[in-house]
Amino acid sequence: MPAPHGPRRAQVAFSDSAAKQLDAITNEAELHALDRTLVVISVDPEAGELLPGNGTGPRLRQYVDEVERVRLVYWVTALKTVVVVAFIEV
């Protein structure tokens, strides 16, 4: 009998501005730190805290990993299958 799979991960997509920020990262340690953080939010899209908003547009979340020193601002689609990253800070 095959081993059961873990929970389904959310797909991570990048906004245009986040993709530009990603392209600017050349340090391998920073890329590794970002990758580990993306795994966290793909496994649990609600891991970050909700940011205050006015109710128009998507509800932004912020995830900060103090160990890896990475900050992501993102939102989760209505189906909670795609996490769109809006800001990357490594």
Side-chain angles (χ1 to χ4, degrees):
M1 179 188 297
H5 295 288
R8 183 175 175 264
R9 289 187 180 182
Q11 179 181 354
V12 177
F14 298 93
S15 67
D16 290 342
S17 62
K20 288 178 187 174
Q21 292 172 6
L22 183 60
D23 288 341
I25 300 172
T26 57
N27 181 300
E28 192 155 331
E30 290 178 348
L31 286 172
H32 180 71
L34 176 60
D35 186 53
R36 291 174 52 90
T37 302
L38 291 172
V39 168
V40 170
I41 63 170
S42 72
V43 171
D44 182 8
E46 299 195 13
E49 64 184 47
L50 279 173
L51 293 175
N54 60 6
T56 62
R59 291 295 315 256
L60 293 177
R61 301 186 78 82
Q62 172 179 260
Y63 179 80
V64 178
D65 186 323
E66 298 293 338
V67 174
E68 297 289 351
R69 297 185 179 199
V70 176
R71 176 177 172 243
L72 297 177
V73 175
Y74 63 97
W75 71 88
V76 182
T77 66
L79 296 177
K80 297 191 181 209
T81 56
V82 179
V83 176
V84 181
V85 177
F87 180 78
I88 302 170
E89 184 177 271
V90 180

